[in-house]
Amino acid sequence: MTAMASRTARSASKDSRRRLVVIGNGMAGARAVEEILARGGGAQHRITMFGDEPYGNYNRIMLSHVLSGDEDAGDIFLNSLAWYQENNITLHAGIRVERIDRFAKLVFSDDGRATPYDVLIIATGSRSFMPAVDGLYTAGGLLRPGIFAFRTIDDTQNMVAYAQQDHHHRAVVIGGGLLGLEAARGLQSHGIDVEVVHSGGHLLNTQMGPDGGAVLRRSVEALGIKVHTNSRTTAILGTDKVQGVQLRDKPDIACDMVVVAAGIRPNVDVAVTSGLPVERAIVVDDQMRVPDEDEIYAVGECVQHRGEVYGLVVPVWEQAAVLADHVTGADPSSAYLGSRTATKLKVAGVDVASMGLQAPERDTDEHVVFSEPSRGVFKSIVIRDSKIVGATLLGDSRKVAYLTQAFDRGLPLPEERVSLLFDIGGPGEEAAVAELDADAQICNCNGVSKKAIVETVKGGCNTVAGVMDATRAGKGCGSCKLLVRQVVEWAADGSVAEDPTSAYYVPGVPLEKAALMKAIRQQGLRSVSAVFAALAPGGAEDAKSKMGLASLLKMMWADRYIDERDARFINDRVHANIQRDGTFSVVPQMKGGVTTPDQLRRIAHVADKYSVPMVKLTGGQRIDLLGIRKEDLPKVWADLDMPSGYAYGKSFRTVKTCVGKDFCRYGTGDSTKLGIEIESRFQGIESPAKLKLAVSGCPRNCAESLVKDVGVVAVDGGRWEIYIGGAAGAHIRKGDLLATVDSPETVKLLTGRFMQYYRERANWLERTYSFVPRVGIDHLRSVIVDDSEGLGAQLDAAMQASVDNYVDPWTERGDPFTPGQFRTSLPLEVLPQVPVR
Amino acid sequence: MTSGASISGPAASGPASGGAAVSGELYGLGPIEQVPPGEGRSFGVNNQQIAVFRLRDGSLRAVSAVCPHRGGPIADGTIDQTEVLCPLHQHAFALDTGCSTTGAPPLQTYPVFVDADQNIMLQLE
Ligand code: SRM
Ligand SMILES: Cc1cc2nc3c(=O)[nH]c(=O)nc-3n(C[C@H](O)[C@H](O)[C@H](O)COP(=O)(O)OP(=O)(O)OC[C@H]3O[C@@H](n4cnc5c(N)ncnc54)[C@H](O)[C@@H]3O)c2cc1C
Ligand code: SF4
Ligand code: FES
């Protein structure tokens, strides 16, 4: 310990920078350091940070999204470990500071280290408050299994893991505030029945009054969350495992897990032990300094400033900026005067905004209220001396930006008060953006002002994504994304640019598709490497462009294409779809969704022999064997002895069919037969994006033909309708009628002609649901059906060449194309495992 | 799930003594033919998993085999002369430094070369 301290002290003689130590590596600590670095503080300070949590700094706000599964824990980091390295910050992650020696200027941590400082920042944040309830803890003083706090990544991940265990169905959340409601909503997405027990008289009582709370309660109960107000929890029931909660004067509630979200308490232990002034939290002055300590600062939820303790990020950002002004000397006059907390949140999917007073306090205060419980809308504004001193908005946040600004700056209000609540004659959305003050905060998570966005746009960045990357606006909870876009559009004065490379077929070759195809043909470029050498700037390869080029060249040259395997995506190298744990899924061809007992026996045999973790019927009417190890792929194909279903490629996939006229009492055409014929003809054909087809035997459309890339419907009188450009995946679009024809042969001809036209004209990864409306159904009909441009024969011939060139890729099983083609790339043990069903 | 052998496969012999100009432990991973041009293969070396790529100019690069994002198999990635894209979520990493150009934590990099007998030689710390 001493040795370590003196070693650091010795090296200090060489490095004359001041030693800055930060206790707490959460949102406030890391933000303070960022602000210090932004003011050139890196040259003045050698920075060391201690964090109790064993990670870099993450966006705590996003934990609600991690709980609901909308966001992966790995994706919410604000500062990765690499960031600390790049900025020469020594991070002791997973290490807790226990005591400060203010006189020796040393910080003692639980790994036995003593770290000297010249400047110290305390940013220890808060922890979940645990009310006095029987049965919370084990004998050893830990929370009992099944009982959770909601503060850290670990809390959240443990909660998710517990909620996902099959035998856990019911949860009770203690606390009906912001965190409690978020926890309740999040648990619901894991199929858990949730009840919220709240000791207050109405939900969210720190943010709003009883009327708003009652409207919110309706909205929350409409989501299926049961709410108990005026209910105090007295004990957690159950001996081994949690069995329920006991309430004072009310019946017990049975449950398998309990989340305690009954408020937060500042982490002040270190400060108390070290003799620093602590009241409700660590006391700081307007410079964010601890009184009487010139070199000790504190910031974030652990501080009390002018009697206030905050529990939101906006004050944290404001405090961090002032602190950095003083630590670096950038602005000695800078002062923090407190934050007017206007909260704008999404709680359990409901928009909630609140600021200032919840209700009138003086006889002369005006109160404007609107309540529409059936739509979950409630708005209340408190006005004093013609200025807004409080507002609560629920379920409709359209006027929030304007109201927040009026509240922050004490703007004069319109005579007609109702226009504060609605856009009646008041400034509309457009005007609202223009009228916002330069300092108005657009992104409350990352503290980005309108001015910062405008300056970024003026500095030459005129894509919305670019501005978001550069300013981090919109990268927190995401509720301000629309506003960010509006501000960017307003600042760019309508000239918001699309990314220049977006017109190119692939980003690495600066040519649009038609020009690229022309150059390829003229110069006889038959391999991906030849295209890069001839057409890319400096002849440079580009990994992101390889797959698109491979697809295009195969389409153009058919059997004369020079197939370089490294240009393919892994799926196309091993003819299967890679999965989250590095295993693959295998979908054998099952034309038209029709199978045989013999095929089923082979599939069953393979599933047994290779211990396939899941066998599943797909949405494309075939059978998926999931979780196959890469090295087993060739053996699995050999045992199946069926062709590939191409479920992995940017290619023709499947034809769904319905039973059709041979069996169905309504069937007017043999949809099954036609579907099988179409699939046999076009199997495996590569295309700019997936092609999924269907044939239905009558307009009841049991094969969902109206929402397919090409969908065919038999109509009475032996005729067939052909629809193109339909979708029902990430986008929903009803296909456009291309033609109604008399024979299955014509269906196949026009289908092939359309697909070839699409293959030649569509952008890489452009599905038909974008391509068809872009080109226009009238144009397509004239080219494909009426042959107005005389392209018909050429399109048919090109498609025929591709059809003739089909080889089942699974025949590579006997003769790998490259050495180690099916060698495993990772020992699966280290990867997240797919559960076996 | 997978036996250790199939990953160490043809690879890891013990440290080779008397390596050329490089210092540190040298490991012979076997013939260069195991890695097709423009692709990568994984090797288990001294209990570490390493992805070796053979660029189209013939040179080699070696990086840690597990994607720091969510554990993706880096050796299954797509490469060019400068970077590798992880097959799972397309995070990009510079092959020379391991640094991510898309905001993921970095990969570890290792010195690697082909010796006179056309064997892959990898140096660990
Ligand atoms: C297996 C299957 C789900 C199932 O269990 O039923 C499936 C699985 C996947 N789908 Fe799908 N889709 C499956 C039917 C569908 C359908 C329904 C259908 O085909 O009738 C759709 C809607 C129709 C459509 O495509 O428009 C569908 C729309 C998508 C989309 C959204 C495409 C879009 O642009 O709207 C994606 C994402 C993408 O392509 O980028 C996707 C992507 C995926 C991927 C390939 C994700 C990936 O890249 O790894 C999934 C692979 C899982 C795995 O680990 O193997 N899957 N997917 C279905 C396979 C059908 C088959 O037999 O080939
Ligand atoms: C689920 C959830 C949702 C939220 N949603 C919102 C929202 O929508 N909007 C909003 O404005 N706010 C929200 N908040 C609040 C916001 O996250 C906090 O205001 C913010 O994180 C405060 O930052 P901080 O650095 O003061 O504290 P923290 O982020 O808690 O950081 C403190 C860090 O210090 C560490 N630490 C403590 N003691 C020690 C010690 N002795 N030694 C070493 N390290 C120590 C802790 O482990 C912690 O990592 C939410 C919070 C949670 C939990
Ligand atoms: S919907 Fe499709 S892409 Fe999404 S998880 Fe299911 S299979 Fe995967
Ligand atoms: S696992 Fe590599 S990018 Fe996600």
Side-chain angles (χ1 to χ4, degrees), chain A residues 23-29 50-53 60-61 63-64 95-97 123-126 150-151 178-179 267 270 299-302 311-314 316 345:
Chain A
I23 308 176
N25 182 35
M27 299 188 76
F50 286 89
D52 206 1
E53 297 182 75
R60 205 170 294 287
I61 295 177
L63 289 179
S64 320
I95 307 290
R96 183 176 178 74
V97 168
T124 47
S126 334
F150 188 21
R151 180 75 194 177
L178 164 68
L179 286 187
N267 287 322
V270 174
V299 63
E301 286 189 352
C302 64
L312 292 167
V313 292
V314 173
V316 172
L345 304 162

Side-chain angles (χ1 to χ4, degrees), chain A residues 132-213:
Chain A
V133 167
D134 287 341
L136 271 182
Y137 298 103
T138 60
L142 299 172
L143 277 184
R144 280 173 51 203
I147 304 180
F148 301 89
F150 188 21
R151 180 75 194 177
T152 63
I153 282 202
D154 289 349
D155 291 340
T156 312
Q157 287 184 320
N158 293 340
M159 226 189 292
V160 169
Y162 197 86
Q164 284 180 341
Q165 288 174 20
D166 281 348
H167 50 286
H168 296 146
H169 307 291
R170 302 187 55 179
V172 165
V173 174
I174 300 178
L178 164 68
L179 286 187
L181 293 178
E182 287 285 277
R185 188 66 177 144
L187 286 173
Q188 270 196 317
S189 53
H190 300 284
I192 301 279
D193 282 336
V194 189
E195 305 193 24
V196 172
V197 174
H198 185 49
S199 60
H202 62 273
L203 294 177
L204 235 52
N205 50 349
T206 39
Q207 279 86 7
M208 61 180 68
D211 299 339

Side-chain angles (χ1 to χ4, degrees), chain A residues 536-748:
Chain A
E541 282 182 278
D542 173 43
K544 296 186 182 72
S545 304
K546 284 179 151 186
M547 188 182 178
L549 290 174
S551 163
L552 183 70
L553 293 172
K554 178 89 191 298
M555 188 265 292
M556 292 177 66
W557 297 108
D559 61 331
R560 292 194 293 148
Y561 166 58
I562 300 170
D563 182 2
E564 293 164 343
R565 284 300 167 106
D566 62 304
R568 298 183 174 203
F569 182 56
I570 184 65
N571 284 5
D572 301 305
R573 288 186 208 161
V574 303
H575 321 300
N577 191 70
I578 193 164
Q579 309 192 299
R580 58 185 309 152
D581 65 349
T583 61
F584 290 83
S585 64
V586 167
V587 182
Q589 187 179 63
M590 211 165 258
K591 290 177 186 167
V594 178
T595 184
T596 61
D598 176 49
Q599 281 187 344
L600 293 176
R601 260 190 292 275
R602 272 180 279 156
I603 290 172
H605 168 71
V606 164
D608 275 342
K609 180 164 165 190
Y610 298 94
S611 315
V612 175
M614 180 156 82
V615 182
K616 184 178 179 306
L617 302 186
T618 72
Q621 294 188 343
R622 50 250 190 107
I623 294 176
D624 198 347
L625 299 158
L626 295 119
I628 307 276
R629 287 173 283 179
K630 192 177 175 192
E631 61 275 28
D632 284 342
L633 287 170
K635 292 178 272 179
V636 165
W637 298 330
D639 289 346
L640 284 172
D641 198 21
M642 292 165 73
S644 168
Y646 276 95
Y648 45 82
K650 297 298 170 211
S651 61
F652 180 96
R653 292 280 180 92
T654 48
V655 184
K656 277 170 82 154
T657 71
C658 69
V659 287
K661 80 163 190 240
D662 283 1
F663 294 90
C664 175
R665 62 199 161 123
Y666 296 117
T668 63
D670 193 344
S671 48
T672 325
K673 173 159 177 280
L674 177 54
I676 292 172
E677 285 171 11
I678 294 177
E679 187 159 348
S680 308
R681 178 161 170 76
F682 301 113
Q683 56 193 346
I685 281 177
E686 55 293 317
S687 55
K690 302 182 273 198
L691 284 166
K692 298 172 172 185
L693 286 72
V695 184
S696 299
C698 86
R700 284 169 194 74
N701 252 313
C702 296
E704 299 162 339
S705 303
L706 296 186
V707 289
K708 293 286 154 190
D709 295 288
V710 179
V712 181
V713 184
V715 292
D716 205 26
R719 289 159 63 80
W720 303 82
E721 292 176 342
I722 307 173
Y723 291 86
I724 56 175
H731 300 78
I732 306 236
R733 182 173 192 275
K734 176 175 181 285
D736 297 318
L737 183 63
L738 177 71
T740 306
V741 302
D742 289 331
S743 73
E745 289 315 310
T746 320
V747 171
K748 280 182 273 180

Side-chain angles (χ1 to χ4, degrees), chain A residues 543 546 630 819 823 825 831, chain B residues 41-42 70-71 76 79-80:
Chain A
K546 284 179 151 186
K630 192 177 175 192
R823 201 168 110 191
S825 277
L831 292 168
Chain B
R41 294 287 181 262
S42 305
R70 285 190 222 161
D76 282 343
I79 62 164
D80 52 31

Side-chain angles (χ1 to χ4, degrees), chain A residues 412-460:
Chain A
L413 301 178
E415 282 296 305
E416 201 181 356
R417 303 294 197 223
V418 68
S419 64
L420 291 169
L421 298 179
F422 306 100
D423 288 329
I424 309 170
E429 282 294 329
E430 288 299 307
V433 169
E435 276 172 19
L436 283 181
D437 231 64
D439 290 336
Q441 181 151 290
I442 304 296
C443 171
N444 285 339
C445 293
N446 293 325
V448 185
S449 65
K450 174 175 162 187
K451 187 166 87 204
I453 295 179
V454 172
E455 277 169 6
T456 310
V457 174
K458 300 282 181 247

Side-chain angles (χ1 to χ4, degrees), chain B residues 14-16 19 22-28 45-46 111 121-125:
Chain B
V22 232
S23 65
E25 302 263 313
L26 267 185
Y27 291 81
V45 189
N46 196 17
M121 301 303 291
L122 178 94
Q123 187 199 353
L124 289 188
E125 306 276 287

